[in-house]
């Protein structure tokens, strides 16, 4: 008889709520195969959004055979529909791994599910406030936003931007508007004085010829960006698979950092339409790899490491905005136990990428 976990995944797939690469956690599932490889050798990684330069490590790991060398027969990489959707799908067991974010992992846990952060890929909060210098003038301080029209898209970016403006005492003096999903174009058209978004939005604006000034929200509100999420139950039953996946992903991140142009070539090979925006994807990956993937924690403890402070600050910031359905202990949603400190790609990541 199929396990409940397997049956639930089949039901949800038939209902159209997710893509399933195979059932896990059935009879005989364990932490690893007898030869030391993962017991689950066909897995799906659900991205937080459409595939882009921000996902270069996963594509590099698959296309270079790093996942295969760790014992996986197949790793399916699926484009997603937001970090919240990704966190939900991994928690429901529809996929084995997902790319999500700290804010959404906390949010989904507040709704009674149990996705866990197994590795932090983006060590800095990617949310920024930015402005077009030709339209706004040089933006160097949040106090300059007093009286301005500031727009952002929906979701956690909006809440993080709101909290940032409040921390600097300018929220009540700006016109804060919902710009939907067209924030960059509204900014460049002069409909907004400044915008809240992520650093990828800045790249999009710069690729259109604009000179953009940026205020980093991470300097005020510590938080994590992209992370690899797993379900607590799946990870507990398949420790070897999780550790193997993270080792290969870290190796992919090292390779992509050392070979950025080749990493984007690999990305284009699996998503050919990205050829038209190749320069944009290369710049996004370059900025992510050089500015967002390193931290003191990575230098001290290795790639993927979490520390408690950013989780606590993210939770406190969003709880104050009444985002969560129920209380969550931020210390309960992350773990470093699946990060193999004997892997050079994890333990020596900062040295390997020349940081």
């Amino acid at each position: 008889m199929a396990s409940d976990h397997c049956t639930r995944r089949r039901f949800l797939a038939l209902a159209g709520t997710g893509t399933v690469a195979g059932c896990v956690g059935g009879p005989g599932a364990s932490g690893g195969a007898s030869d030391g490889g993962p017991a689950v050798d066909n897995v799906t990684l659900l991205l937080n959004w459409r595939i882009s330069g921000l996902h270069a490590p996963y594509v590099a790991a698959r296309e270079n055979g790093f996942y295969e060398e760790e014992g996986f027969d197949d790793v399916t990489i699926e484009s997603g529909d937001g970090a919240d959707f990704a966190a939900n799908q991994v928690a429901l067991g529809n996929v084995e791994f997902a790319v999500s974010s700290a804010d959404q992992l906390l949010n989904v846990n507040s709704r009674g599910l149990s996705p866990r952060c197994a590795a932090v890929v983006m060590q800095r909060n990617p949310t920024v406030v930015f402005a077009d210098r030709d339209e706004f003038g040089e933006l160097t301080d949040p106090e300059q936003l007093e009286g301005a029209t500031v727009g952002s898209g929906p979701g956690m970016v909006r809440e993080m931007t709101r909290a940032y403006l409040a921390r600097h005492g300018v929220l009540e003096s700006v016109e804060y508007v919902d710009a939907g999903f067209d924030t960059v174009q509204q900014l460049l058209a002069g409909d907004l004085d400044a915008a809240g978004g992520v650093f990828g939005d800045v790249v999009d604006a710069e690729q259109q010829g604009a000179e953009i000034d940026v205020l980093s929200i991470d300097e005020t509100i510590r938080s994590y960006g992209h992370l690899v999420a797993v379900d607590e139950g799946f990870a507990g039953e398949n420790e070897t698979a999780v550790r193997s996946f993270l080792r290969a992903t870290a190796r992919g991140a090292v390779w992509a950092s050392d070979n950025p142009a080749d990493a984007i070539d690999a990305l284009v090979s699996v998503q050919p339409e990205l050829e038209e925006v190749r320069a944009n994807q290369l710049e996004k990956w370059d900025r992510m790899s050089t500015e967002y993937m390193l931290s003191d924690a990575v230098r001290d403890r290795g790639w993927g490491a979490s520390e408690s402070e950013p989780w606590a600050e993210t939770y406190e910031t969003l709880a104050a905005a009444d985002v969560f359905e129920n209380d969550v202990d931020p210390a309960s949603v992350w773990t470093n136990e699946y990060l193999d400190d004997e892997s050079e790609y994890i333990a020596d990541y900062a040295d390997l990428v020349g940081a």
Side-chain angles (χ1 to χ4, degrees):
M1 178 180 292
S3 68
D4 290 341
H5 184 65
C6 181
T7 303
R8 178 176 59 180
R9 291 183 59 184
R10 287 176 176 157
F11 172 79
L12 290 171
L14 290 170
T17 59
T19 301
V20 180
C23 293
V24 298
S30 62
S34 59
D35 62 358
V40 181
D41 51 15
N42 293 279
V43 299
T44 293
L45 169 68
L46 178 65
L47 304 180
N48 57 320
W49 200 241
R50 292 183 295 272
I51 192 169
S52 74
L54 305 181
H55 305 116
Y58 317 105
V59 174
R62 190 181 70 177
E63 297 305 295
N64 283 298
F66 301 156
Y67 290 126
E68 184 178 2
E69 290 182 30
E70 286 286 350
F72 294 100
D73 290 339
D74 181 60
V75 174
T76 300
I77 299 176
E78 295 281 354
S79 289
D81 192 28
D84 55 342
F85 178 78
N88 267 297
Q89 291 302 297
V90 79
L92 290 171
N94 288 334
V95 294
E96 290 79 13
F97 300 96
V99 177
S100 189
S101 59
D103 45 23
Q104 291 294 357
L105 213 65
L106 288 162
N107 189 29
V108 172
N109 271 272
S110 81
R111 301 202 296 268
L113 297 175
S114 57
R116 296 290 180 261
C117 170
V120 174
V121 178
M122 198 181 290
Q123 292 276 327
R124 287 179 54 204
N125 188 331
T127 313
V128 296
V129 175
F130 59 104
D132 182 349
R133 185 174 294 187
D134 287 344
E135 296 291 333
F136 185 86
E138 185 175 6
L139 176 63
T140 61
D141 191 289
E143 291 183 2
Q144 294 173 257
L145 296 170
E146 291 184 358
T149 299
V150 180
S152 75
M156 293 299 179
V157 167
R158 181 169 179 78
E159 296 302 334
M160 281 287 181
T161 303
R162 182 193 301 275
Y164 175 81
L165 297 173
R167 292 271 188 99
H168 289 280
V170 296
L171 179 61
E172 299 303 320
S173 64
V174 305
E175 183 183 1
Y176 192 37
V177 300
D178 185 349
F181 293 100
D182 196 29
T183 305
V184 172
Q185 295 311 125
Q186 290 182 54
L187 179 77
L188 298 183
D191 297 331
L192 302 173
D193 297 315
V198 293
F199 71 87
D201 296 324
V202 175
V203 173
D204 290 340
E206 291 174 341
Q207 289 287 317
Q208 296 179 62
E211 184 175 8
I212 302 296
D213 292 311
V214 178
L215 301 175
S216 173
I217 288 180
D218 187 73
E219 295 176 1
T220 300
I221 304 171
R222 289 279 290 118
S223 185
Y224 291 130
H226 288 192
L227 52 82
V228 177
V230 295
D231 180 64
E232 182 179 42
F234 171 78
E237 295 176 0
N238 297 280
E239 178 179 351
T240 297
V242 176
R243 290 170 70 86
S244 298
F245 186 87
L246 297 181
R247 279 196 301 267
T249 302
R251 186 178 177 187
V254 170
W255 186 88
S257 295
D258 291 344
N259 304 277
D262 291 338
I264 301 305
D265 285 343
L267 196 75
V268 171
S269 73
V270 301
Q271 198 78 13
E273 58 266 35
L274 292 178
E275 178 60 41
E276 297 181 5
V277 288
R278 189 182 188 285
N280 180 295
Q281 303 308 319
L282 180 59
E283 179 59 27
K284 285 180 180 177
W285 168 240
D286 181 69
R287 199 162 300 188
M288 176 174 164
S289 62
T290 58
E291 299 181 18
Y292 287 86
M293 292 181 66
L294 291 163
S295 66
D296 288 341
V298 169
R299 294 183 181 92
D300 293 341
R301 305 184 63 177
W303 175 90
S306 277
E307 292 186 321
S308 60
E309 182 180 352
W311 286 101
E313 187 160 359
T314 302
Y315 177 75
E316 290 166 4
T317 298
L318 296 177
D322 200 26
V323 167
F324 304 124
E325 287 191 15
N326 296 289
D327 293 339
V328 177
D329 177 4
S332 71
V333 306
W334 62 272
T335 178
N336 290 326
E337 68 178 292
Y338 302 110
L339 296 170
D340 182 359
D341 59 10
E342 294 186 359
S343 164
E344 63 175 320
Y345 302 106
I346 291 178
D348 301 327
Y349 176 82
D351 293 334
L352 291 171
V353 298

